[in-house]
Amino acid sequence: MPAYTAPIRDMQFLLHEVLNIATAGVPGYDELEPDFTGAVLEAAGKVASEVLAPLNRSGDAEGCRLENGIVRTPKGFKAAFAAMKEGGWTALDSDPEFGGQGMPYLMGTAVGEIFVSANMAFNMYQGLTHGAVSAIEAHGSPEQKATYLPPMIACDWTGTMNLTEPHCGTDLGLMRTRAEPQPDGSYRITGEKIFISAGEHDLAENIIHLVLAKAPGGGEGTRGVSLFIVPKFLVNPDGSLGPRNAVSAGKIEHKMGIHGNATCVMNYDGATGYLLGDLHKGMRAMFTMMNEARLGVGLQGYAVAEAAYQNAVIYAKDRLQGRAVTGAANPTGPADPLIVHPDIRRTLMDQKSFVEGARAFTFWGASLIDRSRRQGDAGAEALISLLTPVLKGFLTDKGFETAVSAQQVWGGHGYIEDNGMAQFVRDARIAMIYEGANGVQALDLVGRKLAADGGKPVMAFFDLVKSFVKEHEADAGLKAEFLGPLKAASKDLQAAAMIFLEKAATDPNGALSGASDFLHMFGHTCLGLMWAQMAVAAQTALTEGRGDPAFLNAKIVTGRHYMARHLPATALHLARIQAGGDTVMALAPEAF
Amino acid sequence: MPAYTAPIRDMQFLLHEVLNIATAGVPGYDELEPDFTGAVLEAAGKVASEVLAPLNRSGDAEGCRLENGIVRTPKGFKAAFAAMKEGGWTALDSDPEFGGQGMPYLMGTAVGEIFVSANMAFNMYQGLTHGAVSAIEAHGSPEQKATYLPPMIACDWTGTMNLTEPHCGTDLGLMRTRAEPQPDGSYRITGEKIFISAGEHDLAENIIHLVLAKAPGGGEGTRGVSLFIVPKFLVNPDGSLGPRNAVSAGKIEHKMGIHGNATCVMNYDGATGYLLGDLHKGMRAMFTMMNEARLGVGLQGYAVAEAAYQNAVIYAKDRLQGRAVTGAANPTGPADPLIVHPDIRRTLMDQKSFVEGARAFTFWGASLIDRSRRQGDAGAEALISLLTPVLKGFLTDKGFETAVSAQQVWGGHGYIEDNGMAQFVRDARIAMIYEGANGVQALDLVGRKLAADGGKPVMAFFDLVKSFVKEHEADAGLKAEFLGPLKAASKDLQAAAMIFLEKAATDPNGALSGASDFLHMFGHTCLGLMWAQMAVAAQTALTEGRGDPAFLNAKIVTGRHYMARHLPATALHLARIQAGGDTVMALAPEAF
């Protein structure tokens, strides 16, 4: 069974040496002393290793079952969910007014990574609830907040998001689910929703569905869409549970992965729903949650990769095969461990440098969300809005690739399900698809975010890179190994951005043909910036005598690996973007 | 359920316009008239679409079961296997002396692709038999050939390969299975072998296991290894089946994919075995089969990708979502089909240009094997030996990537097992691992093949590129879009080859750190060469008025796509190789 150990030292390094949260000036960060964050992360790591990780393989093998309308989660999930609630883990960064602990989103992100690494399918039950809580926090009436938030933050009730229908996912304007207004102000919701994660299960007393549906008078397409609260059990005025609502799970999907999470077809047969936010502004309400939700999916991408990487390392140190090319490393044994072989090390360094860079990128993204929410920092909000599709698309594409590489280290044993490496690959695969498939993320990036506010956010990003480079240019070693590659990548990215801005009106097909490449080169540049920042932080800590020198030196080497071997990918992506849409659009559909 | 249609027009184009087999001068090729090959491929396509493809999903869902030592294959496999035998498909390119049809290996390869695309797991039962047949053809005594080949070529008996043991796969010197000589000249084989594809099943009367084991007196490591024939049922002198041998399946592995094929743990408990080939020369005997076996696995990589691509195209034409950015393409419908969107087309073109290039590469490789076998062409043999790790490693890495991209086109529906896209990904995954994991292929390429015979084979490859470029340089269009990129890629590859030759002795770790990158840049260059050749062939056919202009023009556009968007990857791989092994080897194992 795969092992998992929370990467606490790396997280502490990010929080206190790179993001310097103690001096960041974000309300709430000042309480996050190193001892405190260390204790929280240690405690989360203990739950992850001892409670969640042991259920990952078994949950996958057993899956969820639908019996007479009731969904049974895998053995052990109930007890583990109770343990999560009792530990207060579901309420970590929620509003104290409704029972939350009020910690910054950054802290919730760090803890979230630990739980996702240990058991992605399990963690989705609370993760989706968190999303629904955010929606109600942002758009609910005072009564709705008072009714739903306390039990949802406690995870006595869980939440879902209902967008997709059999014939439409990305194009929600085609939606058929209807909401008819009732005399009492409520709505009758009728329709079929699919791919509803945690749509039905046995972990909570009630399930609060957030459902997109079309109410009369809203016009065509997405303009007519509103968002509704549809509880599984209606809630009495005193907060107790009333009658069962006309919503039910029609089917559990048989998926490639995340078997421990019940993905349901949900049937709404005139179910009672309550408008959440403004009528016909449902899409806007959904979008306000998207930065957070998409960052959460990007996190899944690298968090699963982290777990896979850890187990690739264990195997590479343990499995004996062949001899080091420079002479036996384990002369008394029958062979050397895999880790002596350069190609194995190469892939482990690729994995390590991606995961650590991705963690830095995600933590930075979370800190931007905190700045936006807690300080009303409009620049931070614009920047995270720009970076959100990059976080989601790049980290899930590369996270999957990393899980595949980790599986490869195990050779044939990686293909055997009992060993758990295949599950990491199957689980990581969904993150590239849901919460907006990565092609849609790329379109969002080049079609919407790039030109937003006259291009100010993307210029702010380039300025950030430029001023970082300028600030540290005096350091010759840093310049050669970090700043040079970062400047080159940033230059490639700027050249690509110019192409998009020029082509947007004259050759939109040509521009959009390069959307995924742009997303990827943006991702590489962000990780390049993260690695340069981490190298500076590690060097500073070394100079000032803080931390473990072996860890800090390894950090610098790992960064050099990423800069030398992965950042140059921006040139390839730029070449593709320069190639334009000619060959992409030339063929008639029947030629495919 | 996924559909499959054999790509016969593309295969005919390769055989008759690119490889020009009618005038190639290879014995046996002269019988392969276009009408004949067309009829064979049509017939194979019919079996694939009507018999094999319909069993692909069901075979995956049902899997194989071990009950009281007997393995049951999925429903329908028995009848399908009988149909394959009756159609003579198992004997297509085998020796007529033992009941084969004696067609060239190239033809067996084309037909093999069709069967693998339709049902990879099913086709392994006969595919592995083919490998065992080749081993007995190459190393068997006249008696062994007479006894085993006719029923194996007819697939009344099937074959297996037994190399791997629980503690060793790549490093076979660690092998523990023993062979004790008996007074009658036979051996008693004792040991445990794992990952034995088709190790036990209900499709054949007998199973002929080829087993590597250590016989006394052979010395340490792989030097002591010999190859043995171990039949499930011993064979009487008259060819009838005798008593059951002491070999049995102890377990069926629960794998990520290829569920329809029984992957067994095989226990040899003093089983009777017969030496195949020379004593203590078992590794050599295995290696003689490897070019063919590895080409077959490379074929699996792109053949599964072809099936996945076909179904991505079907979905992209069918699924309505959004509107074309340049105006509605389906104005009377509620939305446009996915295929109007540039990012969807971009991925479909990526898939198409890989699969068609991979097919050309594989067919070329098969023709080199024919030249080597049927003409004793030493140059062809040296070249295919060099290219074998590239065919295996590059086509399976990229084939998997392509299957993932095809699945992505389906969005959330691609993650649902019922739709079959996930299976393509799960099935394709194994091809990167077995028959030598791709990292081992890369080591074989840079550690053994590159410097073989003083580097003559690799120089022959570069000469081939050079003379092709020279021959066609007068064509300005071709020069700009095909020859220029090909020259650039070839130059990158040569620069990398020089680095390896220089570093091999002085910095072996540095060299080997770039092995996988070298394999990939070699693969890109080969596909670049294939595309340039296909462009010339298509242009020639267009000029001379042969074939369907729409098909031929699409061929040229698809080639331009590959040259513009994928061939430039060689520069990235070269940059990584130039980065050397410094960061790869720097960390202590405990730093991972």
Side-chain angles (χ1 to χ4, degrees):
Chain A
M1 202 178 64
Y4 173 69
T5 309
I8 293 168
R9 187 165 57 175
D10 201 47
M11 291 181 167
Q12 289 280 75
F13 171 75
L14 286 174
L15 295 175
H16 303 292
E17 298 288 345
V18 180
L19 293 169
N20 292 308
I21 56 175
T23 56
V26 179
Y29 278 18
D30 46 349
E31 292 164 25
L32 303 180
E33 292 292 325
D35 284 355
F36 176 75
T37 59
V40 171
L41 297 174
E42 288 281 357
K46 198 170 143 69
V47 174
S49 298
E50 295 177 6
V51 180
L52 306 190
L55 295 175
N56 199 36
R57 275 301 308 131
S58 59
D60 177 75
E62 186 183 338
C64 298
R65 283 163 302 140
L66 175 64
E67 293 168 349
N68 306 319
I70 295 168
V71 170
R72 311 267 177 217
T73 54
K75 223 169 278 146
F77 272 38
K78 266 189 177 174
F81 203 71
M84 291 287 279
K85 284 162 52 175
E86 277 158 33
W89 295 111
T90 66
L92 203 73
D93 58 350
S94 299
D95 191 342
E97 192 186 336
F98 302 106
Q101 298 184 41
M103 282 192 214
Y105 182 67
L106 174 58
M107 206 58 204
T109 299
V111 169
E113 182 202 308
I114 292 173
F115 292 155
V116 172
S117 288
N119 196 326
M120 172 171 162
F122 175 87
N123 201 59
M124 288 173 67
Y125 292 101
Q126 69 146 331
L128 285 152
T129 305
H130 199 283
V133 163
S134 296
I136 295 172
E137 277 179 352
H139 302 285
S141 66
E143 293 73 25
Q144 287 174 333
K145 290 184 187 180
T147 304
Y148 297 106
L149 290 182
M152 290 179 77
I153 286 171
C155 265
D156 292 331
W157 303 355
T158 62
T160 73
M161 297 290 186
N162 290 240
L163 289 79
T164 307
E165 300 184 5
H167 62 290
C168 72
T170 302
D171 189 355
L172 290 171
L174 304 175
M175 185 178 295
R176 291 183 192 141
T177 299
R178 299 282 152 191
E180 297 164 58
Q182 302 299 302
D184 68 353
S186 72
Y187 288 78
R188 279 171 62 88
I189 313 290
T190 305
E192 186 188 13
K193 295 285 184 179
I194 65 169
F195 301 159
I196 309 308
S197 300
E200 178 59 60
H201 57 81
D202 56 3
L203 301 179
E205 298 158 15
N206 201 4
I207 301 175
I208 309 305
H209 303 288
L210 300 192
V211 183
L212 283 179
K214 283 189 173 176
E220 283 304 298
T222 54
R223 277 170 302 173
V225 168
S226 307
L227 187 58
F228 298 90
I229 295 176
V230 185
K232 175 179 169 184
F233 291 99
L234 296 175
V235 181
N236 296 322
D238 66 355
S240 64
L241 298 187
R244 175 75 192 248
N245 204 350
V247 48
S248 59
K251 186 187 171 191
I252 298 189
E253 301 288 1
H254 178 211
K255 309 183 300 294
M256 184 182 185
I258 50 168
H259 295 162
N261 199 277
T263 306
C264 299
V265 173
M266 297 304 296
N267 298 315
Y268 294 87
D269 303 310
T272 299
Y274 310 101
L275 185 66
L276 177 61
D278 295 334
L279 188 66
H280 303 141
K281 304 285 188 215
M283 292 304 290
R284 205 167 64 184
M286 292 302 298
F287 271 109
T288 57
M289 290 174 295
M290 259 181 201
N291 286 350
E292 188 187 317
R294 290 181 169 177
L295 185 135
V297 175
L299 178 148
Q300 288 181 328
Y302 84 81
V304 174
E306 161 75 30
Y309 161 71
Q310 286 191 13
N311 287 283
V313 169
I314 290 170
Y315 192 78
K317 290 180 184 175
D318 186 54
R319 175 86 171 178
L320 302 182
Q321 185 180 281
R323 289 293 183 190
V325 66
T326 49
N330 175 34
T332 57
D336 289 344
L338 281 178
I339 201 165
V340 304
H341 300 300
D343 189 64
I344 294 287
R345 272 179 171 273
R346 189 264 317 153
T347 179
L348 291 178
M349 287 300 295
D350 288 348
Q351 294 166 42
K352 181 175 166 66
S353 64
F354 163 70
V355 170
E356 294 180 11
R359 177 176 299 124
F361 187 21
T362 304
F363 280 26
W364 178 44
S367 77
L368 291 173
I369 289 181
D370 279 329
R371 283 182 192 281
S372 152
R373 284 201 203 142
R374 292 178 172 239
Q375 295 184 295
D377 181 336
E381 190 177 347
L383 192 53
I384 188 60
S385 184
L386 170 72
L387 296 178
T388 291
V390 183
L391 279 157
K392 197 279 182 184
F394 185 70
L395 298 191
T396 60
D397 278 355
K398 292 288 170 188
F400 175 73
E401 213 178 289
T402 300
V404 170
S405 298
Q407 181 190 27
Q408 187 75 12
V409 171
W410 279 62
H413 297 274
Y415 201 63
I416 306 301
E417 288 286 0
D418 310 344
N419 295 322
M421 300 306 287
Q423 185 190 346
F424 292 133
V425 172
R426 292 186 289 97
D427 286 356
R429 182 69 185 89
I430 188 59
M432 296 159 70
I433 299 173
Y434 63 18
E435 201 56 45
N438 285 355
V440 175
Q441 302 298 328
L443 290 187
D444 179 46
L445 178 64
V446 306
R448 199 177 293 147
K449 302 298 176 63
L450 189 57
D453 198 11
K456 267 190 209 158
V458 76
M459 291 315 299
F461 175 81
F462 289 129
D463 285 345
L464 214 143
V465 173
K466 203 179 295 176
S467 59
F468 177 84
V469 169
K470 205 165 179 182
E471 189 183 344
H472 297 283
E473 237 166 0
D475 182 332
L478 199 73
K479 192 173 175 183
E481 299 194 308
F482 288 90
L483 304 182
L486 176 59
K487 267 168 84 174
S490 180
K491 206 177 142 197
D492 286 343
L493 187 65
Q494 286 183 61
M498 286 309 297
I499 294 174
F500 285 107
L501 295 173
E502 282 163 16
K503 277 193 180 170
T506 58
D507 180 16
N509 280 329
L512 295 176
S513 298
S516 287
D517 281 296
F518 188 69
L519 184 146
H520 274 258
M521 70 195 297
F522 211 146
H524 278 298
T525 309
C526 289
L527 258 59
L529 176 62
M530 294 301 107
W531 272 117
Q533 290 177 348
M534 288 193 279
V536 168
Q539 193 56 59
T540 305
L542 274 169
T543 308
E544 297 175 4
R546 283 194 310 279
D548 172 6
F551 168 79
L552 296 167
N553 279 314
K555 187 56 84 176
I556 294 169
V557 168
T558 308
R560 284 171 48 218
H561 184 84
Y562 194 88
M563 302 312 272
R565 291 200 169 234
H566 295 283
L567 214 52
T570 56
L572 173 60
H573 291 298
L574 178 60
R576 288 179 183 159
I577 290 166
Q578 286 166 337
D582 185 10
T583 62
V584 172
M585 302 307 293
L587 297 188
E590 55 273 20
F592 285 89
Chain B
M1 203 179 61
Y4 173 70
T5 309
I8 294 168
R9 188 165 57 175
D10 200 45
M11 290 182 167
Q12 289 280 74
F13 170 75
L14 286 175
L15 295 175
H16 304 293
E17 298 288 345
V18 180
L19 293 170
N20 292 306
I21 56 174
T23 57
V26 179
Y29 277 18
D30 45 349
E31 292 164 25
L32 302 179
E33 292 291 325
D35 284 355
F36 176 75
T37 59
V40 171
L41 297 173
E42 287 282 357
K46 198 171 142 72
V47 173
S49 298
E50 296 177 6
V51 180
L52 306 191
L55 295 176
N56 199 36
R57 275 302 307 130
S58 60
D60 178 74
E62 186 183 339
C64 298
R65 282 163 302 139
L66 175 64
E67 293 168 350
N68 306 319
I70 295 169
V71 170
R72 311 268 176 216
T73 55
K75 224 169 277 146
F77 272 38
K78 267 189 177 176
F81 203 71
M84 292 287 280
K85 285 162 51 175
E86 277 159 32
W89 296 110
T90 64
L92 204 72
D93 59 351
S94 299
D95 191 342
E97 192 187 335
F98 301 105
Q101 298 184 41
M103 282 192 212
Y105 181 68
L106 175 58
M107 205 59 202
T109 299
V111 168
E113 182 202 307
I114 292 173
F115 292 155
V116 172
S117 288
N119 196 326
M120 174 171 162
F122 175 86
N123 200 60
M124 289 172 68
Y125 291 100
Q126 69 147 331
L128 284 153
T129 305
H130 199 284
V133 162
S134 297
I136 296 173
E137 276 179 353
H139 302 286
S141 67
E143 294 72 27
Q144 287 173 332
K145 289 184 188 179
T147 303
Y148 297 106
L149 290 181
M152 289 179 78
I153 286 172
C155 265
D156 293 332
W157 303 355
T158 62
T160 73
M161 298 290 186
N162 290 240
L163 290 78
T164 306
E165 300 184 6
H167 62 291
C168 72
T170 301
D171 189 355
L172 291 171
L174 303 177
M175 185 177 296
R176 292 184 192 141
T177 299
R178 299 282 152 190
E180 297 163 58
Q182 301 300 302
D184 67 353
S186 72
Y187 288 77
R188 279 172 62 88
I189 312 290
T190 305
E192 186 188 14
K193 295 286 183 177
I194 64 168
F195 302 160
I196 309 308
S197 301
E200 178 58 61
H201 58 81
D202 55 2
L203 301 178
E205 298 158 15
N206 201 2
I207 301 175
I208 309 304
H209 303 288
L210 300 192
V211 183
L212 283 180
K214 284 189 172 175
E220 282 303 298
T222 55
R223 279 171 298 172
V225 168
S226 307
L227 187 59
F228 297 90
I229 296 176
V230 185
K232 174 179 169 183
F233 290 99
L234 297 175
V235 182
N236 295 322
D238 67 352
S240 64
L241 298 188
R244 176 74 192 249
N245 203 351
V247 47
S248 60
K251 186 187 170 191
I252 299 188
E253 301 287 2
H254 178 212
K255 308 182 301 293
M256 185 184 185
I258 51 167
H259 294 163
N261 198 277
T263 306
C264 299
V265 173
M266 298 303 296
N267 298 316
Y268 294 87
D269 302 311
T272 299
Y274 310 101
L275 184 67
L276 178 61
D278 295 334
L279 187 66
H280 303 142
K281 305 286 188 214
M283 292 305 289
R284 207 166 63 183
M286 294 300 299
F287 271 109
T288 58
M289 291 173 294
M290 256 179 203
N291 286 350
E292 189 187 314
R294 290 181 169 177
L295 185 136
V297 175
L299 179 148
Q300 288 181 328
Y302 85 82
V304 174
E306 161 76 31
Y309 161 71
Q310 286 191 15
N311 287 283
V313 169
I314 290 170
Y315 192 79
K317 290 180 182 174
D318 185 57
R319 175 86 171 180
L320 302 181
Q321 186 181 280
R323 289 294 184 190
V325 66
T326 49
N330 174 34
T332 58
D336 289 344
L338 280 179
I339 201 166
V340 305
H341 300 301
D343 189 63
I344 294 288
R345 273 180 169 271
R346 190 264 316 152
T347 179
L348 291 179
M349 287 300 294
D350 288 348
Q351 294 167 42
K352 180 176 165 68
S353 64
F354 164 70
V355 170
E356 294 180 11
R359 178 176 297 123
F361 187 21
T362 304
F363 280 26
W364 178 43
S367 77
L368 291 173
I369 289 181
D370 280 329
R371 283 182 193 281
S372 154
R373 283 201 202 143
R374 293 180 171 237
Q375 296 184 293
D377 181 335
E381 191 178 348
L383 192 53
I384 188 60
S385 185
L386 170 72
L387 295 177
T388 292
V390 183
L391 279 158
K392 197 282 181 182
F394 184 70
L395 299 191
T396 59
D397 277 355
K398 292 289 171 186
F400 175 74
E401 210 178 290
T402 301
V404 171
S405 298
Q407 181 190 27
Q408 187 75 10
V409 171
W410 281 61
H413 297 275
Y415 201 64
I416 306 302
E417 288 286 0
D418 310 343
N419 295 322
M421 300 307 287
Q423 185 189 345
F424 292 132
V425 171
R426 291 187 288 97
D427 286 356
R429 183 68 184 88
I430 189 59
M432 297 160 71
I433 298 172
Y434 63 18
E435 202 54 45
N438 286 355
V440 175
Q441 302 298 328
L443 289 188
D444 179 46
L445 178 63
V446 306
R448 199 178 292 147
K449 302 298 176 64
L450 189 57
D453 199 12
K456 268 190 206 156
V458 77
M459 291 315 299
F461 175 81
F462 288 130
D463 285 346
L464 214 144
V465 173
K466 203 180 293 175
S467 60
F468 177 84
V469 168
K470 204 164 180 186
E471 188 183 345
H472 297 283
E473 236 166 1
D475 183 332
L478 198 73
K479 192 172 175 182
E481 297 194 308
F482 287 90
L483 304 183
L486 176 58
K487 268 168 81 173
S490 181
K491 206 177 143 197
D492 287 344
L493 188 64
Q494 287 182 61
M498 285 309 297
I499 293 173
F500 285 106
L501 295 173
E502 282 164 16
K503 278 194 182 170
T506 57
D507 179 16
N509 280 328
L512 295 176
S513 299
S516 287
D517 281 296
F518 187 70
L519 184 149
H520 274 258
M521 69 194 299
F522 210 146
H524 278 298
T525 308
C526 289
L527 258 61
L529 175 61
M530 295 300 108
W531 272 116
Q533 290 177 346
M534 288 194 279
V536 168
Q539 194 56 60
T540 305
L542 275 170
T543 308
E544 297 175 3
R546 283 192 311 277
D548 173 7
F551 168 79
L552 296 167
N553 279 314
K555 187 56 83 175
I556 294 169
V557 168
T558 309
R560 285 171 47 217
H561 184 85
Y562 194 87
M563 301 311 272
R565 292 199 168 235
H566 295 283
L567 215 51
T570 56
L572 173 59
H573 291 298
L574 178 59
R576 288 179 184 161
I577 290 166
Q578 287 166 336
D582 185 11
T583 62
V584 171
M585 302 306 295
L587 297 188
E590 56 273 20
F592 284 90

mmCIF file of all heavy atoms in Angstrom, chain A residues 300-312:
data_model
loop_
_atom_site.group_PDB
_atom_site.id
_atom_site.type_symbol
_atom_site.label_atom_id
_atom_site.label_comp_id
_atom_site.label_asym_id
_atom_site.label_seq_id
_atom_site.Cartn_x
_atom_site.Cartn_y
_atom_site.Cartn_z
ATOM 1 N N GLN A 300 -5.160 19.666 -6.719
ATOM 2 C CA GLN A 300 -5.306 18.211 -6.835
ATOM 3 C C GLN A 300 -4.263 17.641 -7.794
ATOM 4 O O GLN A 300 -3.689 16.577 -7.561
ATOM 5 C CB GLN A 300 -6.709 17.863 -7.347
ATOM 6 C CG GLN A 300 -7.816 18.093 -6.331
ATOM 7 C CD GLN A 300 -9.187 17.709 -6.875
ATOM 8 O OE1 GLN A 300 -9.455 17.838 -8.068
ATOM 9 N NE2 GLN A 300 -10.062 17.236 -5.999
ATOM 10 N N GLY A 301 -4.039 18.382 -8.899
ATOM 11 C CA GLY A 301 -3.081 17.915 -9.898
ATOM 12 C C GLY A 301 -1.721 17.635 -9.281
ATOM 13 O O GLY A 301 -1.164 16.549 -9.427
ATOM 14 N N TYR A 302 -1.180 18.604 -8.538
ATOM 15 C CA TYR A 302 0.175 18.383 -8.020
ATOM 16 C C TYR A 302 0.162 17.599 -6.712
ATOM 17 O O TYR A 302 1.151 16.946 -6.366
ATOM 18 C CB TYR A 302 0.944 19.709 -7.897
ATOM 19 C CG TYR A 302 0.709 20.491 -6.625
ATOM 20 C CD1 TYR A 302 1.381 20.173 -5.445
ATOM 21 C CD2 TYR A 302 -0.173 21.559 -6.591
ATOM 22 C CE1 TYR A 302 1.184 20.891 -4.279
ATOM 23 C CE2 TYR A 302 -0.388 22.285 -5.432
ATOM 24 C CZ TYR A 302 0.291 21.939 -4.276
ATOM 25 O OH TYR A 302 0.079 22.644 -3.122
ATOM 26 N N ALA A 303 -0.964 17.651 -5.968
ATOM 27 C CA ALA A 303 -1.008 16.918 -4.697
ATOM 28 C C ALA A 303 -0.982 15.407 -4.943
ATOM 29 O O ALA A 303 -0.311 14.665 -4.219
ATOM 30 C CB ALA A 303 -2.251 17.307 -3.895
ATOM 31 N N VAL A 304 -1.712 14.957 -5.955
ATOM 32 C CA VAL A 304 -1.661 13.528 -6.288
ATOM 33 C C VAL A 304 -0.277 13.180 -6.827
ATOM 34 O O VAL A 304 0.287 12.133 -6.515
ATOM 35 C CB VAL A 304 -2.775 13.157 -7.292
ATOM 36 C CG1 VAL A 304 -2.630 11.717 -7.739
ATOM 37 C CG2 VAL A 304 -4.144 13.377 -6.660
ATOM 38 N N ALA A 305 0.294 14.091 -7.621
ATOM 39 C CA ALA A 305 1.647 13.864 -8.130
ATOM 40 C C ALA A 305 2.646 13.746 -6.984
ATOM 41 O O ALA A 305 3.573 12.932 -7.033
ATOM 42 C CB ALA A 305 2.050 15.003 -9.074
ATOM 43 N N GLU A 306 2.468 14.555 -5.940
ATOM 44 C CA GLU A 306 3.351 14.486 -4.760
ATOM 45 C C GLU A 306 3.292 13.089 -4.132
ATOM 46 O O GLU A 306 4.315 12.483 -3.822
ATOM 47 C CB GLU A 306 2.934 15.543 -3.722
ATOM 48 C CG GLU A 306 3.423 15.321 -2.290
ATOM 49 C CD GLU A 306 4.907 15.632 -2.074
ATOM 50 O OE1 GLU A 306 5.432 16.499 -2.783
ATOM 51 O OE2 GLU A 306 5.521 14.999 -1.195
ATOM 52 N N ALA A 307 2.087 12.579 -3.958
ATOM 53 C CA ALA A 307 1.946 11.240 -3.368
ATOM 54 C C ALA A 307 2.588 10.187 -4.271
ATOM 55 O O ALA A 307 3.283 9.281 -3.794
ATOM 56 C CB ALA A 307 0.465 10.928 -3.148
ATOM 57 N N ALA A 308 2.379 10.319 -5.556
ATOM 58 C CA ALA A 308 2.966 9.358 -6.505
ATOM 59 C C ALA A 308 4.486 9.456 -6.464
ATOM 60 O O ALA A 308 5.192 8.433 -6.442
ATOM 61 C CB ALA A 308 2.436 9.635 -7.907
ATOM 62 N N TYR A 309 4.986 10.688 -6.439
ATOM 63 C CA TYR A 309 6.437 10.910 -6.383
ATOM 64 C C TYR A 309 7.041 10.264 -5.125
ATOM 65 O O TYR A 309 8.062 9.584 -5.186
ATOM 66 C CB TYR A 309 6.744 12.410 -6.422
ATOM 67 C CG TYR A 309 8.116 12.777 -5.920
ATOM 68 C CD1 TYR A 309 9.249 12.456 -6.663
ATOM 69 C CD2 TYR A 309 8.299 13.413 -4.693
ATOM 70 C CE1 TYR A 309 10.524 12.764 -6.199
ATOM 71 C CE2 TYR A 309 9.561 13.729 -4.221
ATOM 72 C CZ TYR A 309 10.675 13.400 -4.971
ATOM 73 O OH TYR A 309 11.922 13.695 -4.504
ATOM 74 N N GLN A 310 6.400 10.487 -3.990
ATOM 75 C CA GLN A 310 6.925 9.905 -2.745
ATOM 76 C C GLN A 310 7.090 8.392 -2.879
ATOM 77 O O GLN A 310 8.073 7.811 -2.419
ATOM 78 C CB GLN A 310 5.986 10.201 -1.569
ATOM 79 C CG GLN A 310 6.036 11.647 -1.094
ATOM 80 C CD GLN A 310 5.298 11.844 0.234
ATOM 81 O OE1 GLN A 310 4.961 10.884 0.926
ATOM 82 N NE2 GLN A 310 5.052 13.093 0.575
ATOM 83 N N ASN A 311 6.130 7.751 -3.513
ATOM 84 C CA ASN A 311 6.188 6.296 -3.630
ATOM 85 C C ASN A 311 7.149 5.843 -4.721
ATOM 86 O O ASN A 311 7.695 4.744 -4.648
ATOM 87 C CB ASN A 311 4.781 5.746 -3.826
ATOM 88 C CG ASN A 311 3.991 5.823 -2.533
ATOM 89 O OD1 ASN A 311 4.185 5.021 -1.624
ATOM 90 N ND2 ASN A 311 3.164 6.859 -2.396
ATOM 91 N N ALA A 312 7.381 6.695 -5.724
ATOM 92 C CA ALA A 312 8.417 6.393 -6.712
ATOM 93 C C ALA A 312 9.787 6.414 -6.034
ATOM 94 O O ALA A 312 10.643 5.558 -6.299
ATOM 95 C CB ALA A 312 8.367 7.395 -7.859
#
